[in-house]
Amino acid sequence: MDTKQINNILKAPAPHMVGDGFRVHNFFPSGYKIDMSPFFLMDYGSKIEFSARREPRGVGVHPHRGFETVTIAYHGAVAHHDSSGNSGVIYPGDVQWMTAAAGVLHKEYHEEQYSLTGGPFQMVQLWVNLPAKNKMGKPGYQAIKQADMVHFDLPENGGKIEIIAGNYQGIKGSASTFTPIEVYNARLNKGAKANFSFPANFNTGFMVIEGGIKVNGSENAATDSFVHFKNEGTTIEIEALENSVILILSGEPINEPIVQYGPFLMNTEAEIHQAIEDYNQGRFGYLEE
């Protein structure tokens, strides 16, 4: 069997706050210098209790250009608004896939009712890079409710694989993507095994959201750790050491230059300067604070 070997099992870097509503561990690009293209950034909000509050916590209006933000909820609820007129709330199990492309203004806050009661909060936000030819395309928005998410049931009550994007065992995920990307939530019961197969050159990593797993029959990965794989071999087996939730990420690298400045992800310095000018000139639209 052509096994995809582990490169590293990475512990969560020290957390920092994004706005006053999101305590995150940045696994990449700043936490660890690993190549996960087309995934440029992963902020992991490990489980935290927020106290009840009348004024919702969150992040105020800010711009994005050149990539997509994908927010996956595990606990808590987040309300989203953008300058393209899209808005919505994601609850546990839901996914919000926003294509910033040529540019949007964006804000996200704890959903009002969740804010009033408080409670556990756990999320992942990914920045998915766009190829140069799509960076200045039209912004888009995909809301994927867990109730509508396609899934593959593992044998013998082993749990299920929810397919957010890509294709697992012939079942195609709901999200449409610009490059080949696989994004799943594996929800495994204790003792269950699941097998995955990705092309050797795909950048691949598994985020352990809950529980703990044994990978390829050898190494254990605990809650809040990220398993980063080598770009060789194709197959991976995981076994749940307890009831577990694992975010599965794999994608074909975009082999183009990247220049990042804050919330802009482009190919050249000139495009970054243009993004700043367009933002300052109000070309990203309008969004009320």
Side-chain angles (χ1 to χ4, degrees):
M1 192 180 280
D2 190 15
T3 303
K4 195 180 274 289
Q5 299 293 342
I6 293 171
N7 193 21
N8 269 310
I9 297 177
L10 306 171
K11 290 189 164 62
H16 67 275
M17 292 300 293
V18 177
D20 66 355
F22 304 96
R23 187 199 69 169
V24 301
H25 310 265
N26 181 262
F27 272 88
F28 55 87
S30 60
Y32 295 98
K33 300 299 179 198
I34 58 174
D35 186 4
M36 277 295 293
S37 174
F39 308 101
F40 176 79
L41 171 148
M42 185 177 79
D43 273 342
Y44 169 57
S46 59
K47 198 186 289 184
I48 184 176
E49 288 281 333
F50 277 109
S51 57
R53 183 163 144 170
R54 190 170 293 279
E55 191 66 32
R57 299 171 176 89
V59 183
V61 175
H62 55 282
H64 289 304
R65 172 178 280 181
F67 62 100
E68 304 181 283
T69 66
V70 179
T71 308
I72 305 165
Y74 296 97
H75 292 279
V78 172
H80 154 99
H81 298 268
D82 70 38
S83 55
S84 289
N86 298 303
S87 63
V89 177
I90 55 170
Y91 296 100
D94 297 344
V95 176
Q96 169 202 294
W97 198 298
M98 183 184 80
T99 305
V104 292
L105 302 177
H106 181 221
K107 64 179 180 180
E108 46 204 335
Y109 286 90
H110 292 186
E111 183 272 332
E112 212 167 293
Q113 196 54 49
Y114 166 77
S115 194
L116 288 172
T117 57
F121 193 89
Q122 189 179 24
M123 304 257 164
V124 169
Q125 186 170 89
L126 302 164
W127 288 14
V128 180
N129 190 21
L130 288 170
K133 67 178 192 285
N134 301 118
K135 281 188 181 293
M136 292 300 289
K138 193 177 172 205
Y141 183 80
Q142 302 175 75
I144 306 166
K145 296 290 182 191
Q146 188 181 34
D148 305 325
M149 210 176 278
V150 294
H151 65 271
F152 175 84
D153 289 315
L154 294 167
E156 297 168 19
N157 194 33
K160 63 181 178 178
I161 311 295
E162 296 173 344
I163 304 113
I164 299 165
N167 187 307
Y168 183 79
Q169 302 287 8
I171 300 172
K172 193 176 181 314
S174 313
S176 64
T177 67
F178 290 84
T179 59
I181 297 174
E182 308 291 324
V183 182
Y184 323 141
N185 271 324
R187 300 180 184 272
L188 307 186
N189 295 324
K190 182 179 178 179
K193 292 182 178 179
N195 290 284
F196 303 91
S197 181
F198 305 114
N201 70 313
F202 274 35
N203 290 321
T204 302
F206 291 7
M207 182 71 226
V208 184
I209 306 291
E210 279 181 27
I213 57 172
K214 186 184 284 276
V215 184
N216 293 334
S218 59
E219 294 190 61
N220 291 355
T223 308
D224 300 341
S225 62
F226 184 78
V227 185
H228 184 228
F229 293 89
K230 295 180 179 178
N231 292 94
E232 55 190 47
T234 56
T235 63
I236 300 167
E237 181 191 80
I238 60 174
E239 178 185 352
L241 303 174
E242 52 191 301
N243 291 351
S244 299
V245 179
I246 308 97
L247 174 63
I248 311 293
L249 303 174
S250 190
E252 183 176 55
I254 298 173
N255 294 315
E256 296 174 348
I258 288 183
V259 181
Q260 182 216 354
Y261 179 80
F264 306 130
L265 191 58
M266 304 302 289
N267 300 105
T268 67
E269 293 278 356
E271 289 168 341
I272 292 290
H273 292 306
Q274 187 64 54
I276 294 167
E277 185 184 329
D278 289 349
Y279 171 62
N280 290 334
Q281 295 295 323
R283 296 179 187 132
F284 282 53
Y286 174 75
L287 186 61
E288 194 175 330
E289 278 287 357

